Structure formats: C-alpha cells, structure tokens
Amino acid sequence: MEAKVILKQDLAAWIDALVKQYEVIAPVTEDGVVVFRPVSGLSEMAIEGMVGPAKSLREHFTPPTETLFDYKLEDLSAEVIPPENEERHRVIFGARACDAAALLYVDAVYSNVEPIDTAYFMRREKTYLVGLFCDKPAWSCFCTEVGDFLTNPVAMDVYLTDLGNRYYAEPLTPKGEELIGLGNFRPADENDKAANEEIRRKALERLPKRAEHETACLSYDWDHPVWIELAKKCLSCGACAFLCPTCHCFDIQEHPKLKKGSRYRCWDTCQFEKFTLMASGHNPRETRKERTRQRVFHKFKYSQERYCMLGCVGCGRCIAACPVNIDIRKVLEELEKTAVAK
Amino acid sequence: MRIENPYIPKLATIEKIITETWDTKTFRAVFKDEELRESFTYEPGQFQEISVFGVGEAPFCLTSSPTRKGFVEFSVKKIGSVTSALHEIDEGATIGIRAPLGNWFPYEEFKGKDLWFIGGGIGMAPLRSLLNFCLDNRKDYGKVNIIYGARSSGDLCFTYEFDEWQNSPNTELFLTIDKEEEGWNKNVGFVPAYVMDLKPSPKNAIAITCGPPIMIKFTLQNLKELGFEDNQIWTTLEMKMKCGIGKCGRCNIGPKYVCVDGPVFSYAQLKELPPEY
Ligand SMILES: Cc1cc2nc3c(=O)[nH]c(=O)nc-3n(C[C@H](O)[C@H](O)[C@H](O)COP(=O)(O)OP(=O)(O)OC[C@H]3O[C@@H](n4cnc5c(N)ncnc54)[C@H](O)[C@@H]3O)c2cc1C
Ligand code: SF4
Ligand code: SF4
Ligand code: FES
C-alpha cells in the first residue's frame, strides 16, 4: 500500500473527521503522566514528542473491572442478564509499537482454546489502531531486544512517523487506507521516504541491540540463585503486572447481594500470594521465590512453549514502576550468563 | 453473533441432594432448558463450574457417568463460601452450570485392560464417573478393582453404590479407613499402604488415582515400585481455578493450564511439568 504524508497543519482536521465517525482514544496528559483517553480533538492530545505512555492500551481492551453478567433472583428461580455490547467503533490514535504488539499476545491467550473470549474480541474487532513511531525511547525501553515490531509494526492499521512539519503515514490494512482517506494526505515522495528512514535509523541506534532472550530463556534454571535474590527484594505489590501490556490474568468476583447483583472480573496477578491459594490451604506458589519465577518464566518461557511468542514486548514499564528497582533486563542477563556457561 | 459469552452459566434445578458424610453432599442437577437437557453430554474426568448466584462460582468434577443421561451430579466438600452456600440450599433451588470443561480419561486406551481405581476421600468423586462408565460398558474392560479409603467409615462417600460396584461381574471393592473402628471388618490403614498389601500386577493394567496430594504422592511411588510404567498411571489434578477455559491465567503449571490441558494427566505427562502442584 502506498505511503502518504500529511502536513501538521492538516492534522486537526483529520482528527476532527475521525472523531465524527469513531470514538477516538489518544494520549493525553493526566496528572503529569501520559495515558490513553477518549478525546474530542487534537488540542487535547499529547502526541508531540511523547515519551513512553505511563499506561498501555490494556485498559481499553480488558478493563480493570468488567461485568460478566447481571442476575436477578426470585424465590427458587434465577435470571441471567448478559451485558449490552458496545456499538461504536473506535480509533486508538498514537499507539506505541510495543503496545500494539502486546495485543497479538493477548489475542493468542484469549483465542488459544475454545471458547474464545467474546467480550475481548468484540472490542478488538471494533478498534482500529493508528500507531506512532517511537522516536524518543525511554531509559527503560528494550523493545528491540525482544522483537523487531518497532520497524515492522504488527496489529496496526496505520503507522505514523513524525517528520518535523509533517507525518509520514503507512497504511497497513484496507481499514488503514480508509482512515487515511478521511484526511488531507498526499503521496509520499523520495524526500519523505528518506527522512522516514533516517528517523528510524537514529532511533534504532539509541536502543539496545537484539539479544538472544528467546533461546536462552528456554534453558533457564528452575533453581537459579536469582530467584532468591528477587524474593528478597520484591514487595509483591503487583505494580509490574498491572502496568504490563501483556499481563491478562483476572479474578472473578460477585457483588454480595441477594436478590440481584452482578458477576464481574477484575485484574489480578500471580505476584499476589492468594492467586493460587486453594481452599484446602495448599498453595503451589507460596513464597515470592515461586511467584517472581512464575512471572519471568511466564513471559519468557511458557509463552514461547504455548503460544510460540515472547510474553514481553520490552515496553519497560515494569522496570520504571518497580518501587524496589527490580529490572527484568538484569534478571534475564543473570539467567543468560549461567545458561551460556552450562 | 458468533458464539455465546463463555462466562454465562446455564440455569439448572437441583433435583436431589444426598448427604454423603458430615461435610460432603452430592447434588443432582437438571438443566432448565429441555433441549440442553437432552443434548448435553460430557466425558468421564471433566469438570463443571457451579454458580450459586449471589455468592460465586467454584469448580467441581462431574461425578456422574455420561452413560446415565438427563442430569449431572457433583459432590461438594464444605470448605469455603461457595461450598457452604451449596450445603445450605434445598432441592428445587436454581444454580448455574458451565460445563463440560477440561479434558478426560482416555477410556478408549484403557479398553481390554485391568483397571485399578485408587481413591481417597472426596477424591473418589472424579473416579466414580469413570468407574460407573466402565461398569456400564463392562465388556470393554478387564477386571475392575476399586481401592477406596477415607479417614473413618463416616467419611466414605457413595456408600449406597458399594453393592452395585461389588456385584458387578469381575469387579472387586477394597475398602480401608485410617484407624480402627468398632464394627469395621474391612482393612485399616492408609491407601498407599493398602496398595502395597494388595500388590496390583502392572501386567496389562491401568491405575487411576485421585485424593489428597499426600495420598497421590505415596500412591504414585508405590505403583512405581510395583512396576507400573509412567503411562499406566493416571490422576486428576487440582489447581486454583476461576475461568475454567484457559483465559484467567490462574491454573498454569509451566506452559500447561490445568483447566484445559487437564485436569486429567498421566504420570508420564506430570513428569514433564515443573514441580508446582
Ligand atoms: C478441577 C477441579 C475439580 C474439583 N472437584 C471437586 C469436587 O468434586 N468436590 C469438591 O468438594 N471440591 C472439588 N474441587 C475443589 C473446589 O473447587 C474447592 O473446594 C472450592 O473452589 C472451594 O470454593 P469455596 O468458595 O467454597 O471456597 P473459598 O471461600 O474460595 O475458599 C475457602 C478457603 O480459602 C481460603 N481463603 C479464602 N479467602 C481467604 C482469605 N481472605 N484469607 C485467607 N484465606 C482465605 C481459606 O483457607 C478458606 O478455607 C475441585 C477443584 C478443581 C480445580
Ligand atoms: S514484562 Fe515489563 S517490559 Fe515486558 S511487556 Fe511487561 S511491563 Fe513491558
Ligand atoms: S513492581 Fe517490583 S516490587 Fe512490585 S511486585 Fe513487581 S517486581 Fe515486585
Ligand atoms: S482457570 Fe482460568 S486459566 Fe485455568
């Protein structure tokens, strides 16, 4: 599909056209951090020079709490009322390549075995992604170590690159072409293409080079001393998991009402002690040693064995957010050292 | 719409409640939807998510056999909120069911072989489904042996079926309790030890075991000692579960989800997994 260019002065009109047809979710600054929120126009958006958004797109596909159904009780009978489906299609504008790649992982989890997760896929199908090339990676970013989706984007419909006074736009799907059709775009010339290449090259220079996490992880050591080190530091606060765009685990709970109420799901994490606590009192992952190991192995080992992909997109959020400075890159390095030595 | 929301349970009526022991009851439920009642089927070893509206949902094995149609049964040990709520309801109450879930015993592979069912306490629940299935297809299997133990005679479930089991052709029931009791004339001792006393021959045989983790552990050791190969031993595992359909990420052991890749595993498959169960 042919690459196009839009001048920044025409951007507001394009966003306005998108807002007319879709719900548009874009980066905004909220309490000093960048998060994705519904917007009504360009003036609300924080896309110029955006460094890693504090939160990923996750909450827009799997909300922190989501009603599974409502129920009504009458004497001995019961009625179950499914939630209403959202009707409107959405555009997520300015998505990062890592966060888009994370969606492919969550897709795999929610469709790996029948039945698929209908609520998730309904939202997924109704959402189009306009990605934005990351030219200012944060200190904690390492997406290039776990994949090449920064330069070969996945799960997007359009991929934008900021060329200064204009955006370079690659439509990646027919839907992406439609979206571009709503703005004042012109075909990209040689000049635009060269500028785009140059920006990508520079960004890649700043980022760490691809490492061998994939193969090294599969030979990871169950009893490695790094697990004990992690267990000593980790607070089991769950910040790493709740900010991670690929984390998808949930709990199912009920509002304790008698005659009517609802059952809902809410985010949960393997970093919490009760996650695997059974009614019998037996807990297969009782201490932080088992729980931190589960998180790293799930992302780098089990995900490859089960879904043939890594469960980490290198967004670095878990690194930036950890209150005790646990750095998943360092953990991997430790593991790889011994994996190589073996 | 393509397919139904997989988290919404089907409504069912509790038709019958049997008090098994002081802390365990068996429930027979029939789907309210007549069509579903007719068409619903499952395999021995599968489980269901049972809803008590207003309290929550919990997984229980299907303890009935799919050869006996029109209803499903599950046995519940009172231990927490959902299980207590179930113990309080009366016949006629409405519950929710998501089923069938999980994998099942490969009963086709067991054909022509002698079977050793080795159950402890409530662990007999999933075995009962396969046992009654095999007895209903009696000619397909060799000798059927049932070793069933509990803490005391009052902790044995399904006592009302013991006669049926014993009187089936080429079938033997071996009962055991942990401690001596007045009037008890069967074996006394833990299940794994009783297995050693009875010395099942591994020749053309399959052992299927379920019970508390400690019982399973020692039973496996003893079966190995008796010469059973890893693929001749089957068990069903329990992990904390919520969704039951491989989405909530709770029940994994390494790359496997017990709710979809299990709960039934052979000992050979178990050995491939990290020791986290
Ligand atoms: C595949 C499978 C098949 C099963 N089959 C059967 C079966 O056939 N029969 C059967 O009886 N069981 C079966 N179980 C076990 C059954 O699912 C559990 O006993 C049931 O889920 C308990 O639910 P509950 O709501 O009653 O307990 P919960 O209320 O969820 O938990 C009770 C226990 O959890 C702990 N707990 C809960 N909340 C807290 C807290 N805030 N702080 C500290 N501790 C807490 C306590 O130790 C408490 O005793 C099966 C499980 C699986 C996975
Ligand atoms: S594990 Fe950390 S770096 Fe990897 S995707 Fe999750 S939050 Fe981002
Ligand atoms: S953010 Fe850090 S301290 Fe908190 S659970 Fe994750 S690793 Fe542990
Ligand atoms: S119970 Fe949710 S993944 Fe197994």
Side-chain angles (χ1 to χ4, degrees):
Chain A
M1 284 172 230
E2 198 193 0
K4 301 264 172 76
V5 164
I6 187 169
L7 292 176
K8 281 194 178 169
Q9 68 209 42
D10 290 332
L11 193 63
W14 185 36
I15 305 284
D16 286 345
L18 291 175
V19 168
K20 261 199 204 117
Q21 277 194 33
Y22 305 97
E23 180 183 34
V24 175
I25 293 167
V28 303
T29 309
E30 200 177 82
D31 299 327
V33 294
V34 175
V35 291
F36 283 83
R37 291 283 174 268
V39 295
S40 55
L42 180 64
S43 61
E44 293 167 34
M45 289 164 41
I47 54 167
E48 276 289 317
M50 170 174 70
V51 186
K55 289 189 190 173
S56 71
L57 307 176
R58 178 180 175 192
E59 61 189 309
H60 298 290
F61 292 94
T62 54
T65 63
E66 176 178 16
T67 300
L68 297 172
F69 59 84
D70 297 320
Y71 61 81
K72 272 193 211 148
L73 303 178
E74 197 68 60
D75 294 329
L76 288 176
S77 71
E79 190 191 346
V80 167
I81 308 140
E84 275 179 34
N85 301 331
E86 289 159 35
E87 286 308 324
R88 218 174 160 209
H89 285 71
R90 314 181 295 181
V91 169
I92 296 188
F93 194 96
R96 289 301 196 210
C98 55
D99 290 341
L103 288 175
L104 285 194
Y105 179 78
V106 184
D107 288 354
V109 173
Y110 284 156
S111 64
N112 178 251
V113 282
E114 293 283 347
I116 65 161
D117 195 289
T118 34
Y120 170 80
F121 280 103
M122 227 136 32
R123 266 181 225 119
R124 191 77 171 80
E125 270 170 20
K126 287 186 177 174
T127 309
Y128 310 115
L129 247 53
V130 177
L132 181 58
F133 181 79
C134 211
D135 51 11
K136 289 188 183 60
W139 65 274
S140 48
C141 289
F142 64 107
C143 66
T144 43
E145 285 192 58
V146 290
D148 61 355
F149 44 79
L150 181 64
T151 42
N152 290 303
V154 291
M156 289 182 188
D157 297 285
V158 181
Y159 200 24
L160 300 178
T161 309
D162 188 342
L163 299 185
N165 65 343
R166 62 203 192 279
Y167 283 100
Y168 188 81
E170 285 169 275
L172 301 166
T173 63
K175 192 70 209 174
E177 293 214 304
E178 264 177 61
L179 295 179
I180 284 180
L182 297 173
N184 185 19
F185 285 81
R186 66 161 168 81
D189 59 26
E190 289 311 312
N191 222 344
D192 302 321
K193 284 180 187 158
N196 182 51
E197 287 304 313
E198 180 63 8
I199 282 175
R200 291 195 176 185
R201 197 183 52 75
K202 278 196 181 141
L204 286 181
E205 261 170 24
R206 280 195 297 272
L207 280 160
K209 294 291 164 286
R210 193 169 171 81
E212 294 299 316
H213 294 322
E214 281 154 46
T215 44
C217 287
L218 289 168
S219 58
Y220 277 175
D221 188 347
W222 189 255
D223 293 313
H224 198 285
V226 75
W227 307 127
I228 296 169
E229 287 311 305
L230 282 184
K232 279 191 204 145
K233 282 172 80 181
C234 175
L235 308 171
S236 294
C237 69
C240 50
F242 284 165
L243 285 168
C244 177
T246 62
C247 276
H248 56 84
C249 293
F250 59 84
D251 192 8
I252 297 180
Q253 294 279 342
E254 206 149 307
H255 288 297
K257 283 186 201 144
L258 283 177
K259 287 285 169 200
K260 74 191 210 323
S262 52
R263 185 170 298 163
Y264 62 95
R265 59 172 155 189
C266 52
W267 290 1
D268 201 353
T269 164
C270 61
Q271 297 309 292
F272 294 161
E273 189 184 345
K274 297 232 171 73
F275 193 68
T276 45
L277 174 66
M278 280 185 271
S280 62
H282 176 58
N283 191 348
R285 290 200 282 272
E286 204 159 15
T287 74
R288 288 184 181 133
K289 180 182 168 203
E290 289 99 46
R291 299 200 293 273
T292 50
R293 176 174 60 199
Q294 159 68 16
R295 182 171 147 81
V296 176
F297 270 178
H298 195 182
K299 305 245 165 247
F300 290 89
K301 183 172 163 64
Y302 308 153
S303 56
Q304 290 192 76
E305 290 166 342
R306 192 171 182 93
Y307 307 114
C308 299
M309 58 174 107
L310 284 176
C312 170
V313 292
C315 73
R317 288 187 182 93
C318 60
I319 302 167
C322 180
V324 293
N325 298 323
I326 288 174
D327 186 333
I328 199 162
R329 296 171 296 190
K330 300 259 160 61
V331 178
L332 295 172
E333 276 166 28
E334 279 305 308
L335 291 167
E336 273 147 27
K337 258 188 239 161
T338 40
V340 173
K342 263 187 185 170
Chain B
M1 258 311 299
R2 303 167 296 187
I3 54 165
E4 285 174 65
N5 180 333
Y7 300 100
I8 295 188
K10 298 278 189 276
L11 298 179
T13 308
I14 296 288
E15 197 186 65
K16 193 170 153 198
I17 302 175
I18 301 166
T19 301
E20 300 278 0
T21 71
W22 63 280
D23 67 353
T24 304
K25 286 183 179 180
T26 294
F27 299 82
R28 176 179 287 197
V30 292
F31 286 109
K32 289 195 191 259
D33 184 294
E34 229 164 281
E35 225 171 277
L36 181 64
R37 204 183 307 161
E38 296 298 311
S39 63
F40 183 80
T41 190
Y42 56 96
E43 303 280 3
Q46 289 195 287
F47 71 99
Q48 46 192 340
E49 285 279 350
I50 300 291
S51 282
V52 181
F53 298 106
V55 183
E57 203 178 32
F60 302 98
C61 303
L62 280 142
T63 184
S64 44
S65 162
T67 44
R68 306 176 186 187
K69 294 268 179 221
F71 59 87
V72 293
E73 285 178 344
F74 53 97
S75 301
V76 178
K77 185 170 166 155
K78 184 172 164 174
I79 205 158
S81 50
V82 174
T83 50
S84 298
L86 279 166
H87 272 248
E88 272 160 35
I89 65 172
D90 295 317
E91 287 173 2
T94 299
I95 57 161
I97 300 182
R98 291 195 290 131
L101 304 170
N103 73 348
W104 52 87
F105 293 106
Y107 52 82
E108 292 288 333
E109 286 174 34
F110 297 172
K111 278 187 178 168
K113 299 192 172 147
D114 291 343
L115 303 180
W116 286 85
F117 289 91
I118 307 167
I122 185 77
M124 199 60 206
L127 302 191
R128 178 192 180 228
S129 179
L130 180 65
L131 172 61
N132 283 334
F133 177 88
C134 291
L135 296 181
D136 289 348
N137 295 286
R138 194 63 197 82
K139 59 179 188 341
D140 290 344
Y141 300 93
K143 184 167 182 227
V144 172
N145 306 276
I146 309 147
I147 306 177
Y148 182 28
R151 221 169 295 159
S152 72
S153 62
D155 287 294
L156 289 165
C157 299
F158 316 118
T159 48
Y160 46 90
E161 275 181 3
F162 286 178
D163 282 346
E164 186 188 330
W165 294 350
Q166 251 157 340
N167 296 336
S168 293
N170 204 15
T171 303
E172 211 166 340
L173 175 65
F174 304 95
L175 296 173
T176 185
I177 57 173
D178 290 359
K179 277 192 281 210
E180 292 283 357
E181 233 178 72
E182 233 186 77
W184 179 260
N185 55 9
K186 305 274 166 43
N187 191 71
V188 175
F190 295 126
V191 170
Y194 197 24
V195 171
M196 275 327 240
D197 294 343
L198 293 169
K199 287 204 177 28
S201 160
K203 196 163 161 266
N204 195 36
I206 294 283
I208 307 128
T209 180
C210 186
I214 187 86
M215 184 214 97
I216 297 189
K217 193 178 154 211
F218 287 116
T219 301
L220 289 179
Q221 275 177 17
N222 291 354
L223 288 168
K224 289 300 293 175
E225 209 168 300
L226 289 165
F228 277 78
E229 299 287 339
D230 295 344
N231 55 11
Q232 285 179 289
I233 308 171
W234 291 80
T235 187
T236 126
L237 283 190
E238 201 179 306
M239 282 291 271
K240 179 83 178 175
M241 287 185 190
K242 285 286 177 178
C243 71
I245 51 173
K247 312 285 186 276
C248 76
R250 191 172 303 265
C251 68
N252 79 296
I253 304 174
K256 300 284 183 204
Y257 284 127
V258 175
C259 67
V260 290
D261 303 312
V264 173
F265 292 93
S266 71
Y267 189 44
Q269 291 165 338
L270 277 191
K271 280 169 115 181
E272 301 275 301
L273 298 178
E276 257 194 344
Y277 46 87

